[in-house]
């Protein structure tokens, strides 16, 4: 993985290519936006397709009601507490609501962990992607 070391030595800035690879390797993200009552954050199952981040929700959800056409931040990370190592990738983009009949076929099977039917998809059109890796106490 290609990185640029920061001044701290154990922390490195990830290149865009590496950020996308990490995004494709994970399944849970947090989506944040400015809602009616301030900053809102929810966890989602997600996938990456054709340079966009996709997840499912319900039409009645706060996420669907407040994020359409808005700037959102998607944050994905993985950590290993034992070695104090991990990485974090942040995506900034615009959320677009997409009906199930209008999504690429490969998204229809997108698994969502909570029970219930989620027929509305959210596509995040990515404007920025950035990330950092923290190397653990053993250098991993």
């Amino acid at each position: 993985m290609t990185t640029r070391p920061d001044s701290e030595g154990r922390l490195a800035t990830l290149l865009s290519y590496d950020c996308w690879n990490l995004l494709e390797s994970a399944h849970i993200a947090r989506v944040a936006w400015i809602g009616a009552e301030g900053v809102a954050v929810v966890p989602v199952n997600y996938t990456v397709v054709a340079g966009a981040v996709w997840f499912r929700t319900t039409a009645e959800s706060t996420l669907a009601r407040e994020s359409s056409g808005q700037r959102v931040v998607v944050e994905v990370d993985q950590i290993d507490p034992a070695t104090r190592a991990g990485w974090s990738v942040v995506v900034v983009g615009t959320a677009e609501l997409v009906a199930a009949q209008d999504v690429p076929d490969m998204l229809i099977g997108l698994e969502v962990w909570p029970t219930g039917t989620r027929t509305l998809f959210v596509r995040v059109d990515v404007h920025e992607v950035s990330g950092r890796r923290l190397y653990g106490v053993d250098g991993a």
Side-chain angles (χ1 to χ4, degrees):
M1 181 164 294
T2 310
T3 57
R4 279 193 326 256
D6 289 342
S7 60
E8 294 88 23
R10 290 185 49 215
L11 197 59
T13 301
L14 297 171
L15 300 176
S16 178
Y17 173 84
D18 296 319
C19 290
W20 283 105
N21 283 336
L22 290 169
L23 283 171
E24 291 175 355
S25 73
H27 305 284
I28 303 292
R30 283 169 295 286
V31 179
W33 70 96
I34 303 297
E37 298 183 23
V39 176
V41 181
V42 296
V44 296
N45 296 96
Y46 78 96
T47 193
V48 175
V49 173
V53 175
W54 291 81
F55 48 91
R56 296 176 89 152
T57 190
T58 64
E60 302 80 30
S61 71
T62 303
L63 175 60
R65 288 192 319 268
E66 295 182 345
S67 71
S68 180
Q70 301 299 314
R71 181 180 174 151
V72 297
V73 175
V74 179
E75 194 268 343
V76 179
D77 57 29
Q78 297 221 341
I79 60 166
D80 180 351
T83 63
R84 298 182 183 179
W87 56 265
S88 177
V89 173
V90 175
V91 170
V92 178
T94 303
E96 173 190 1
L97 303 181
V98 182
Q101 66 268 17
D102 297 326
V103 301
D105 290 342
M106 66 189 72
L107 289 171
I108 297 302
L110 175 61
E111 184 180 0
V112 179
W113 290 359
T115 59
T117 304
R118 288 170 174 65
T119 58
L120 187 63
F121 287 77
V122 179
R123 177 186 184 274
V124 178
D125 180 29
V126 177
H127 304 295
E128 301 173 34
V129 62
S130 62
R132 298 193 313 169
R133 176 176 293 282
L134 177 63
Y135 291 94
V137 292
D138 64 357

